[in-house]
Amino acid sequence: MNFKLLIGLLFCGIAFASAESYEGYKVYDINAKNVFEKEFLFQLSKDEKYDFFHLPKQIGTPSRVLVEPNDQYELENLLNKFGIQYIVIDENFGESVQAERMQNALMRSLSSGQRISFNSFQRFDDINAYLDQLAKSYPSRVSVKTVGKSYEGRNMKTITITNGDGVQNKKVIFVDAGIHAREWIAPAGALYIINQLVENYAANANLLKTYDWVVLPVVNPDGYEYSHVASRNWRKTRKPVTSSCAGTDGNRNFDFHWGEVGASTLSCADTFRGQAAFSEPETQIVRDIMHSLTGRAKMYLTLHSYGNYLLYPWGYTSALPATWRDMDEVAQAGANAIKAATGTKYTVGSSTNVLYAAAGGSDDYAHASAGIPISITMELPAGGSGFNPSTSQITPFCSETWIGIKAMAEKVIEKY
Ligand code: 0X9
Ligand code: ZN
């Protein structure tokens, strides 16, 4: 056996010995046929024992839920009783998590020594190290700034990418990713953007002529690390709330119609809105970046997974913002470019209308409070049972995503 491979697998066994095992957990796809069945699932999702990965309001798009062994009988019973169709898409989520860990450790060990690799999911320290290396290697075009610390004290860094012409105060595209810990493909997508703009500059110079890009690749580093070493399915931040539950949903914590809809008041819930708006250092950091760029920032793009959506405000109401047509035009440009390049379909619309209502999101805040004209949430594709694409899917997913982002950026540059 290859030496690196052996070390990788040994490391994997030792490092994750205490991680949550998910042994016997099942993942179900539930196909609600009508509004009543959808409503039933919405009610069910309020129960914390069901971890809904996906709960779109559209009939015909299945909802997906992870259920621990003790609760499976009750769920199946309920669904059977009401005649709601379901299938089990993962018989043992624990095995999938273990396989993912092994694969990631192996691919990581095979690409060690490289500056950055899209053959494995990167850990937070590796991401920060890549940003610092870029600043060192490309001092005229790249600068890295520590914008604050996460609750657990991790340094959160933005990278600002320019074309090096020295012109100050250009317009800006601000991108973030990873506010939800388990959505690993999102920070990978942000790293891919950085990689393209910096290390493939010549091909992308048109995106940097009159605009600078500011990227915060991991909004929730504590949660991201926790999902790597302790609990794969963790979504929230990590600041304790009560003696038994930690974490706030960062994307319910922004101060615009905070907590009004689609956000839980229960600290143990996955969509907990927080004890107050901006209770989390991580969301404060995003807020402060947005305000520091007011006037300059023309597009805010926040990367999530999954479901292939390009969403714009509002998330708090089904009404649309006055300028929704501008955002729709930009999002359609992204969706069309992806469709033409790979055939992958993205759904475009306001988040309440095409996904579900949820207030306190960063996208609504960016548009309403920070005055950024174009504000878009991009939900990257699902892999595995949702949040766990295989390592071989990272590059194709990210390069496809980049095609859409480039098209949206070009549209923004043309419009503003
Ligand atoms: O629910 C969310 O925060 C996002 N979906 S995810 O599956 N990645 O959790 C969608 C957010 C859309 N925007 C707002 N509701 N404001
Ligand atoms: Zn998300």
Side-chain angles (χ1 to χ4, degrees):
M1 190 188 264
N2 171 311
F3 180 67
K4 273 187 172 174
L5 191 153
L6 184 69
I7 296 294
L9 296 183
L10 270 176
F11 170 77
C12 184
I14 297 163
F16 301 110
S18 62
E20 189 170 349
S21 81
Y22 296 101
E23 183 52 37
Y25 282 51
K26 284 184 184 172
V27 183
Y28 295 81
D29 264 5
I30 309 176
N31 204 355
K33 295 185 294 298
N34 51 49
V35 282
F36 302 105
E37 293 187 1
K38 270 283 171 197
E39 183 52 33
F40 179 81
L41 296 184
F42 270 105
Q43 293 310 324
L44 212 62
S45 74
K46 291 186 180 152
D47 190 332
E48 288 138 39
K49 69 185 179 210
Y50 300 123
D51 181 354
F52 273 85
F53 289 5
H54 199 49
L55 188 47
K57 63 197 270 183
Q58 244 105 19
I59 310 291
T61 313
S63 300
R64 190 164 288 175
V65 63
L66 174 71
V67 186
E68 67 172 83
N70 284 339
D71 301 322
Q72 291 162 5
Y73 177 76
E74 187 187 319
L75 175 73
E76 292 182 16
N77 223 7
L78 269 173
L79 296 174
N80 288 334
K81 196 166 132 195
F82 290 98
I84 303 175
Q85 291 167 354
Y86 66 89
I87 51 166
V88 176
I89 61 143
D90 191 341
E91 288 285 349
N92 188 352
F93 186 68
E95 260 175 29
S96 310
V97 168
Q98 219 174 347
E100 182 194 38
R101 277 199 189 114
M102 302 274 266
Q103 194 187 45
N104 209 38
L106 167 64
M107 295 313 290
R108 202 175 133 81
S109 66
L110 294 179
S111 50
S112 68
Q114 284 176 28
R115 211 136 87 146
I116 193 69
S117 161
F118 294 95
N119 294 327
S120 64
F121 290 101
Q122 303 299 317
R123 297 291 293 275
F124 182 68
D125 284 347
D126 300 320
I127 296 174
N128 270 356
Y130 179 55
L131 303 189
D132 290 336
Q133 276 171 0
L134 289 179
K136 229 179 183 171
S137 304
Y138 303 92
S140 63
R141 290 195 276 116
V142 170
S143 60
V144 170
K145 186 173 159 197
T146 300
V147 283
K149 279 190 190 300
S150 67
Y151 171 74
E152 289 176 354
R154 294 186 172 84
N155 280 329
M156 294 176 55
K157 299 184 184 206
T158 53
I159 182 166
T160 299
I161 305 163
T162 75
N163 68 354
D165 66 4
V167 177
Q168 300 294 307
N169 293 321
K170 280 185 182 171
K171 290 171 261 188
V172 167
I173 291 172
F174 172 40
V175 182
D176 74 25
I179 197 168
H180 289 146
R182 63 193 179 185
E183 299 167 8
W184 290 1
I185 195 67
L191 276 185
Y192 198 89
I193 297 175
I194 295 166
N195 176 261
Q196 286 299 309
L197 291 173
V198 178
E199 304 204 77
N200 195 16
Y201 168 69
N204 296 305
N206 64 320
L207 304 173
L208 288 156
K209 217 167 154 202
T210 52
Y211 274 67
D212 295 338
W213 290 58
V214 177
V215 185
L216 175 65
V218 191
V219 173
N220 175 11
D222 300 346
Y224 184 70
E225 282 297 297
Y226 193 72
S227 71
H228 273 266
V229 300
S231 187
R232 176 62 186 90
N233 236 18
W234 191 256
R235 169 180 166 98
K236 300 187 286 179
T237 57
R238 286 296 303 156
K239 194 176 82 183
V241 187
T242 58
S243 54
S244 51
C245 284
T248 287
D249 184 343
N251 217 29
R252 303 289 181 277
N253 194 235
F254 283 71
D255 195 7
F256 182 68
H257 294 270
W258 174 73
E260 284 179 13
V261 61
S264 181
T265 52
L266 306 172
S267 62
C268 300
D270 245 355
T271 56
F272 178 51
R273 64 185 187 175
Q275 283 165 317
F278 289 124
S279 55
E280 306 305 288
E282 298 84 0
T283 55
Q284 291 168 16
I285 285 169
V286 175
R287 172 196 66 194
D288 294 347
I289 297 170
M290 286 176 182
H291 287 294
S292 75
L293 297 172
T294 294
R296 291 177 65 202
K298 302 300 173 196
M299 170 153 85
Y300 167 62
L301 175 68
T302 180
L303 303 181
H304 287 248
S305 73
Y306 61 85
N308 297 29
Y309 294 98
L310 283 160
L311 307 169
Y312 46 81
W314 304 116
Y316 81 96
T317 169
S318 59
L320 292 168
T323 56
W324 71 271
R325 282 187 185 79
D326 294 326
M327 291 188 269
D328 193 73
E329 189 188 350
V330 171
Q332 296 287 1
N336 291 340
I338 292 175
K339 183 94 205 191
T342 61
T344 300
K345 187 182 174 313
Y346 267 75
T347 304
V348 173
S350 91
S351 44
T352 301
N353 293 328
V354 307
L355 193 57
Y356 42 69
S362 65
D363 47 6
D364 280 9
Y365 186 86
H367 188 64
S369 307
I372 304 179
I374 303 296
S375 177
I376 289 175
T377 294
M378 186 170 194
E379 299 273 2
L380 273 57
S385 57
F387 303 113
N388 52 347
S390 69
T391 52
S392 63
Q393 287 177 303
I394 302 171
T395 302
F397 281 7
C398 289
S399 58
E400 178 187 84
T401 302
W402 173 236
I403 290 168
I405 294 172
K406 243 182 355 187
M408 291 193 284
E410 279 161 3
K411 183 57 83 183
V412 168
I413 293 167
E414 173 196 313
K415 278 174 76 74
Y416 295 94

